[in-house]
Amino acid sequence: MVPTATASDPIVQVEAITLRFGGLTSLSDVSLTQQRGEILAVIGPNGAGKTSLFNCLTGVYHPQEGNITFHDDHGKSVEIVGPKPRFAGLGGKSHVRNHGRKPHQVNRAGIARTFQTSRLFNALTAFENVKIGVESRMHTGPIGAMLRLPRTRHEDRESDARASELLEFVGLRERANDIASSLPYGDRRRLEIARALGTSPQLLLLDEPAAGTNPAEKNELVRLIRKVNDERGVSVLLIEHDMGLVMTLADRIVVLNFGQVIASGVPAEVQQNPAVIEAYLGAPDPEDAYDTSGPAEDGPEK
Amino acid sequence: MSTVRAPTPLLRRLWLSTDARRLAACVAGGLVLAVMTGPEGSGTAPTSGFTGSLGNSRVIGFVVFGVVLWLLMTARQRYGTEIRAVSDRLSAAPRRLLPDKRVRGVFYLVLLGIAIGYPTVLNGFWQEVLVDQIGVYVLLALGLNVVVGYAGLLDLGYIAFYAIGAYSAAYWTGALPVHPLFHLNAFYAIPLAVLAAMLAGVILGAPTLRLRGDYLAIVTLGFGEIIEIVANNLQGVTGGAQGVIGIPHFSIHFLGVVYHWGLGSLPYYYLLLGFIVVVLIAFHFLENSRVGRAWVAIREDEVAAESSGINVLKYKVMAFAIGASTSGLAGMVEASKIGFVEPGDFTVQLSILILVLVIFGGMGSLPGAVIGAAVLQFLPQYLRVHPLFGFQQQDLYLYLGAILVVMMIFRPVGVFPSRRRKRELGLAEHGVGSADAMESTTGPIS
């Protein structure tokens, strides 16, 4: 999984983004590049701005400065955030200098995500959850649906097949008809990944995939993320607190602290980096050291 | 207060007993209801409202009502779980009795046969009720069900689209003071009326559906008011408060087929029935399609829906437009049936009434919308003409309000809930699986 060629083939480029909430600067001048096919981990103490970075990448927040560009597998570049001034008149906000895409547009471009606290469609079955993800790539409109045109039925069968295949892939085939809310925690995590994969992403953002899982579930998750990366060729960007998981999974690591990138590199380098050690107060397991500290940030994320 | 002793131990014991207090409250509620629905007082005899209703034999009925209510509440408290089990089994019965698709198909055909055959034996009054009160409102409820039930948007100005449909009918047939370039037969104006209502839905929806929850309800409420006030005051265009008359009945002259809808209700009933069946089939397909599932996703978790690639605004506008066009269709048919439109037919109360029909039947459920509308629209008419009850029209909203309160407390999912909706409400009640419940297990956000 280590990039075979050192030649640069970035899938996403974050260039000097700054995100402010009023007087609070959540991200300042953050830049990072992820190579195609890479598993990149973003770590940092609580309140370092990791989830803010995710929300910028997925169009939930629009940073005031900087660019984010996504390069898809077909050579097309999509500007997720860029300095496109909007028409400042009627309804336009002249103070928003950066133009950002909406979450569904970002998803359409090829970036899918999971959430820190899993956000499944709880009253639906596991199968339906995945199917909704798959169907966002289909084209049936209301007229086609009401008349149940041949194309509609064809798409329906196609998405059924894709959803089954994805449930099989994440190992939830037996759970297909279970209500999402009835699934155990680890299964919910995997179902969320299946739903995200349903939208055929090229880049998958995982927000603390292992949070709240037990060691057995964690091992399975590691295997699943590897499989997503190897078999499906999906690049993975993950936020994680669990250093063990990060060290085994990540090809490269970016360390954030107080909204700034303080280090980046392969796991071994980052572990030795004095700035990183200082940020984590020298504690071997950052989770223990920083469990309660750090300003609570990202309130609006819920 | 322990030093203050009650006058008699018995009264004190009664006061301390929840059951007795509840019984007193229920009977008092029955008495209030008796006064509210009884005769009015007047300047010369200000207390006649009370004496006329409390001193009358009809008060017995209301006291009995109070006691029955108390019995129901007590039974629910004592045997709540058993009652719920039975009611769940009852509401699941149709599915259990009709497991086979073919059996269900036959069942629906039989229902349709009854719907076609039975009205012919009714008298003129009931045939008219079937069209004006039931058919039109079933169609309206089906449309609002898409907006409220499927997409989860609270629309309090739904009647406005009905008004737009009705006024479109008047416009295209030349009944309004303003005339179109060419007059149309009412029948061919149907698509135009539907289109006008749909356009209104899109125009209202596109900017306002970005709002969440309560704000949207207020905007739609305002829109409903605007349409009513415009219809009232734009004399030169809408004919003002007294409305316009002379909207012709439908007629077909097409490929040798000539048919004219006349004054009778039955032809309109069959036309409406046709529309309702088509709408039912279309909405059933819609519910189980990509679009229907996208609505469920939005209803359940908008953020997750967005990041699963669903254009939330687009789907909300879509629901709004589909609901609006159904409403417009109902308005068009009714305008042609009665031959006139007046702004008084489009009050906010009617929007609320349709909402009540949908909630009563069960949000997001097609049989619920049909049965809810049919039952709630039939009952007042039945009670009104029934010699025993002597129901008064002006008390209608009083009873509807009471039904709504009781429904929300005892069966918030409606009489015939959709399975999904029921599950959602169940989850929300128990807090299972909601994002908030997970919060504690994951610690602070990074």
Side-chain angles (χ1 to χ4, degrees):
Chain A
M1 283 148 300
V2 177
T4 42
T6 41
S8 181
D9 177 20
I11 187 161
V12 69
Q13 282 175 301
V14 177
E15 289 160 314
I17 58 166
T18 297
L19 175 71
R20 283 183 286 262
F21 296 104
L24 183 82
T25 303
S26 177
L27 293 171
S28 89
D29 201 23
V30 169
S31 298
L32 63 89
T33 303
Q34 177 167 18
Q35 300 298 324
R36 196 175 306 283
E38 185 180 46
I39 298 182
L40 180 69
V42 177
I43 63 168
N46 286 321
K50 303 190 295 288
T51 297
S52 288
L53 177 65
F54 257 41
N55 283 335
C56 289
L57 276 165
T58 51
V60 178
Y61 298 154
H62 293 154
Q64 283 82 2
E65 287 162 38
N67 297 342
I68 300 177
T69 318
F70 174 72
H71 306 280
D72 76 4
D73 291 351
H74 315 296
K76 220 178 84 188
S77 293
V78 180
E79 199 152 73
I80 291 164
V81 174
K84 264 188 214 149
R86 275 176 163 175
F87 176 54
L90 293 162
K93 291 174 197 153
S94 53
H95 65 275
V96 177
R97 265 178 290 158
N98 258 0
H99 170 79
R101 275 172 204 278
K102 299 211 176 69
H104 72 268
Q105 294 171 321
V106 173
N107 180 276
R108 232 143 247 248
I111 301 180
R113 76 173 293 184
T114 65
F115 294 88
Q116 192 173 30
T117 54
S118 53
R119 304 185 78 135
L120 292 165
F121 305 125
N122 279 316
L124 300 184
T125 63
F127 181 78
E128 286 170 316
N129 266 277
V130 182
K131 190 165 163 149
I132 286 172
V134 173
E135 277 180 327
S136 69
R137 286 296 168 280
M138 303 279 175
H139 307 281
T140 299
I143 306 285
M146 284 197 259
L147 300 176
R148 201 164 270 195
L149 298 175
R151 190 177 123 169
T152 306
R153 280 177 297 192
H154 175 75
E155 281 192 354
D156 203 38
R157 281 194 299 273
E158 205 177 305
S159 57
D160 275 355
R162 282 261 300 145
S164 307
E165 185 256 326
L166 279 166
L167 279 176
E168 173 92 62
F169 180 77
V170 300
L172 288 175
R173 205 182 47 152
E174 281 78 35
R175 296 290 204 158
N177 292 318
D178 289 7
I179 305 300
S181 61
S182 74
L183 294 176
Y185 200 74
D187 286 357
R188 294 170 59 82
R189 285 293 186 193
R190 283 187 291 157
L191 181 56
E192 223 187 345
I193 292 175
R195 183 180 69 188
L197 287 175
T199 64
S200 310
Q202 292 154 25
L203 174 63
L204 181 61
L205 308 187
L206 302 174
D207 196 346
E208 293 196 26
T213 56
N214 63 37
E217 289 172 333
K218 200 169 286 177
N219 282 337
E220 265 187 68
L221 260 172
V222 169
R223 265 202 299 279
L224 177 61
I225 295 168
R226 276 254 160 76
K227 213 164 81 160
V228 167
N229 187 242
D230 288 346
E231 291 178 17
R232 306 224 152 211
V234 176
S235 313
V236 177
L237 176 58
L238 68 107
I239 291 176
E240 191 48 74
H241 267 310
D242 188 294
M243 287 309 265
L245 187 138
V246 168
M247 292 298 160
T248 50
L249 259 182
D251 298 323
R252 260 180 343 114
I253 294 174
V254 170
V255 189
L256 283 183
N257 196 19
F258 296 117
Q260 285 173 312
V261 176
I262 57 168
S264 71
V266 296
E269 280 171 22
V270 168
Q271 250 173 333
Q272 305 304 321
N273 190 312
V276 177
I277 295 169
E278 197 195 317
Y280 281 109
L281 294 169
D285 184 349
E287 196 159 34
D288 296 340
Y290 267 78
D291 227 12
T292 51
S293 69
E297 165 219 351
D298 296 349
E301 198 261 343
K302 282 205 289 177
Chain B
M1 287 295 172
S2 56
T3 52
V4 181
R5 299 204 70 91
T8 62
L10 175 70
L11 265 184
R12 188 181 159 81
R13 266 213 310 282
L14 281 178
W15 179 246
L16 286 176
S17 135
T18 325
D19 283 343
R21 259 185 300 171
R22 194 179 284 151
L23 177 62
C26 283
V27 171
L31 292 179
V32 169
L33 198 62
V35 174
M36 282 164 83
T37 57
E40 289 168 30
S42 63
T44 49
T47 56
S48 67
F50 288 95
T51 53
S53 39
L54 294 182
N56 191 302
S57 62
R58 68 195 286 275
V59 77
I60 297 166
F62 287 96
V63 171
V64 170
F65 168 79
V67 174
V68 169
L69 190 66
W70 173 76
L71 281 174
L72 280 176
M73 285 170 88
T74 313
R76 187 183 123 90
Q77 204 179 23
R78 300 265 157 86
Y79 312 104
T81 43
E82 288 90 337
I83 291 173
R84 205 163 308 147
V86 170
S87 83
D88 278 354
R89 217 177 312 146
L90 278 182
S91 69
R95 200 167 293 280
R96 223 156 18 103
L97 292 174
L98 307 167
D100 189 9
K101 228 178 174 174
R102 230 168 302 156
V103 178
R104 235 181 298 167
V106 171
F107 176 71
Y108 290 139
L109 278 181
V110 169
L111 276 188
L112 186 62
I114 295 173
I116 291 172
Y118 185 59
T120 53
V121 303
L122 291 172
N123 62 29
F125 170 78
W126 283 110
Q127 287 180 349
E128 197 162 343
V129 166
L130 265 181
V131 176
D132 293 344
Q133 300 299 324
I134 297 180
V136 168
Y137 281 84
V138 165
L139 205 51
L140 283 168
L142 282 172
L144 187 61
N145 183 45
V146 172
V147 183
V148 177
Y150 291 171
L153 305 164
L154 187 51
D155 184 353
L156 294 180
Y158 184 65
I159 205 71
F161 304 114
Y162 178 78
I164 287 168
Y167 275 105
S168 299
Y171 175 73
W172 288 108
T173 56
L176 286 189
V178 284
H179 291 283
L181 280 178
F182 48 90
H183 288 192
L184 278 175
N185 173 331
F187 201 77
Y188 302 121
I190 291 178
L192 291 171
V194 171
L195 203 70
M198 191 201 294
L199 268 180
V202 171
I203 290 168
L204 174 70
T208 58
L209 287 169
R210 295 160 208 272
L211 303 173
R212 276 164 202 257
D214 317 349
Y215 303 105
L216 178 70
I218 291 166
V219 167
T220 53
L221 192 65
F223 179 70
E225 285 289 291
I226 288 171
I227 293 290
E228 193 197 335
I229 290 169
V230 165
N232 250 318
N233 295 303
L234 209 60
Q235 199 100 29
V237 179
T238 65
Q242 64 270 45
V244 289
I245 55 164
I247 301 165
H249 292 293
F250 291 131
S251 59
I252 300 181
H253 303 270
F254 188 66
L255 296 176
V257 181
V258 178
Y259 187 77
H260 188 77
W261 275 260
L263 279 171
S265 298
L266 221 42
Y268 277 98
Y269 169 73
Y270 289 122
L271 182 69
L272 265 176
L273 186 65
F275 282 140
I276 289 169
V277 170
V278 169
V279 164
L280 270 175
I281 294 172
F283 286 0
H284 174 73
F285 285 157
L286 196 60
E287 186 184 355
N288 299 298
S289 73
R290 168 177 182 259
V291 179
R293 276 183 291 270
W295 283 331
V296 181
I298 292 168
R299 213 165 69 198
E300 286 239 333
D301 190 333
E302 222 174 290
V303 175
E306 265 185 322
S307 45
S308 300
I310 293 169
N311 185 345
V312 170
L313 183 64
K314 186 175 117 186
Y315 279 94
K316 284 183 173 178
V317 172
M318 211 184 272
F320 223 63
I322 291 171
S325 34
T326 316
S327 186
L329 175 65
M332 166 83 217
V333 173
E334 180 67 1
S336 170
K337 156 88 174 44
I338 58 175
F340 64 90
V341 281
E342 54 172 357
D345 294 340
F346 313 118
T347 56
V348 175
Q349 270 196 335
L350 278 177
S351 292
I352 307 283
L353 171 67
I354 302 163
L355 189 64
V356 172
L357 302 180
V358 173
I359 292 171
F360 177 79
M363 279 190 275
S365 144
L366 290 174
V370 175
I371 296 168
V375 168
L376 277 195
Q377 286 293 97
F378 162 79
L379 266 185
Q381 300 300 329
Y382 177 74
L383 294 177
R384 194 157 62 99
V385 297
H386 198 282
L388 257 182
F389 298 99
F391 180 86
Q392 284 168 311
Q393 187 70 33
Q394 66 262 35
D395 293 343
L396 171 67
Y397 285 94
L398 185 79
Y399 292 115
L400 284 183
I403 288 177
L404 204 57
V405 169
V406 172
M407 284 288 294
M408 285 300 106
I409 293 171
F410 294 104
R411 199 171 168 84
V413 289
V415 179
F416 289 89
S418 78
R419 270 188 304 169
R420 276 177 191 158
R421 267 288 190 182
K422 206 171 160 188
R423 227 182 276 147
E424 277 168 39
L425 268 165
L427 288 176
E429 249 172 47
H430 296 109
V432 176
S434 78
D436 295 352
M438 308 296 349
E439 208 83 68
S440 54
T441 60
T442 53
I445 296 165
S446 86

